[in-house]
Amino acid sequence: MNQTATTKRSSAMQRFYEEAYSAQNYAPFVQAKDHPFYPPLCNFIESYSLSAGHCLEIGCGRGAFQDMVDDYTGVDLSAAVGRYIHKPFYQCSATALPFADSSFDAIWSYAVLEHVPQPESALEEMQRVLRPGGYLLLAPAWQCRSWAAEGYPVRPYRDFNWLGKLVKASIPIRDSLAFRASYIMPQRFGRFLAFLIRQRPTKFSYHRLTPNYERFWMPDSDAINSMDPFEVIVWFVSRGDHCLTFPSWQDGLFVRTGPLVFRKG
């Protein structure tokens, strides 16, 4: 993508999130207990004794989790969410965090990485600002579907031309576990073998999506990346970090979805 197209997309993305958070229907959660991420975040904080730690949330939205720890800092691309935050807040990109190296004891991020144009840069920033021995809870929407942008699953057949109707009709097959495993598992084994042979940090591999910043049909209509959780596991482990959710490669190879917890090496 050339520089002009990149700038236009960045402007459209910024405008979309400012407008979305200025309204009330996008990511509307303001109470922690109402949020679907509340149970795994509670477990994360309790399991690693983080209630007194210096904690960062990347993509804090309306700040539903800001009171779950005492020492909290939130960052978000949208400036509009700042009015919901009563603890330290910074409007910034996940790819350019305004903090010194090794600043935080723990980081968490929910449903954010799939919306970041350069996800590997965001991973590098997370690793940079996390102290050695610190903990990261990463829970993006994994393997976002290309058909979400135009809302194929939620729109009626009459909305589409003949090609669109074929796309909609194919979704149950393309979204089945067997179909997806037929191409995901060979990719995973290939990435794993490449790491074993080379024994050096991997480059983060993902699929670029075309987001819909004009109409939010359904969750992940605005996703810009489709990512495999195993790819994230390999990325961190190849850099000397530890995946606490899947400590063995055998388990990690068969990861499907859900949060991942890492400890920085």
Side-chain angles (χ1 to χ4, degrees), residues 30-166:
V30 293
Q31 299 296 324
K33 292 183 178 180
D34 297 332
H35 201 293
F37 189 52
Y38 179 70
L41 182 55
C42 280
N43 184 63
F44 176 67
I45 292 170
E46 293 171 4
S47 296
Y48 304 108
S49 303
L50 299 173
S51 58
H54 187 31
C55 298
L56 172 68
E57 180 174 13
I58 297 176
C60 61
R62 302 175 199 273
F65 304 124
Q66 60 186 312
D67 292 319
M68 291 187 65
V69 294
D70 293 332
D71 191 353
Y72 170 97
T73 299
V75 302
D76 201 280
L77 183 65
S78 170
V81 303
R83 69 177 185 270
Y84 299 97
I85 313 296
H86 56 262
K87 289 192 173 179
F89 168 75
Y90 296 82
Q91 188 273 321
C92 65
S93 168
T95 61
L97 299 174
F99 310 112
D101 295 358
S102 304
S103 293
F104 295 94
D105 299 309
I107 300 171
W108 65 77
S109 181
Y110 172 79
V112 172
L113 197 60
E114 69 272 24
H115 305 293
V116 178
Q118 295 86 33
E120 185 167 24
S121 296
L123 295 177
E124 291 170 345
E125 281 292 88
M126 293 177 197
Q127 191 184 53
R128 180 184 68 80
V129 303
L130 187 63
R131 68 165 176 80
Y135 297 92
L136 167 66
L137 175 59
L138 193 60
W142 302 113
Q143 297 170 344
C144 293
R145 312 303 196 249
S146 60
W147 52 79
E150 295 304 322
Y152 279 101
V154 299
R155 295 169 65 187
Y157 277 95
R158 64 176 178 271
D159 280 7
F160 304 107
N161 59 22
W162 68 269
L163 183 58
K165 287 179 172 63
L166 287 177

Side-chain angles (χ1 to χ4, degrees), residues 138-145 177 180 188 227-230 233 245-246 252 254-260:
L138 193 60
W142 302 113
Q143 297 170 344
C144 293
R145 312 303 196 249
L177 180 60
R180 289 187 291 112
R188 289 183 179 182
M227 303 168 296
D228 182 0
F230 182 72
I233 293 173
T245 320
F246 297 97
F254 294 95
V255 58
R256 289 184 59 187
T257 188
L260 296 177

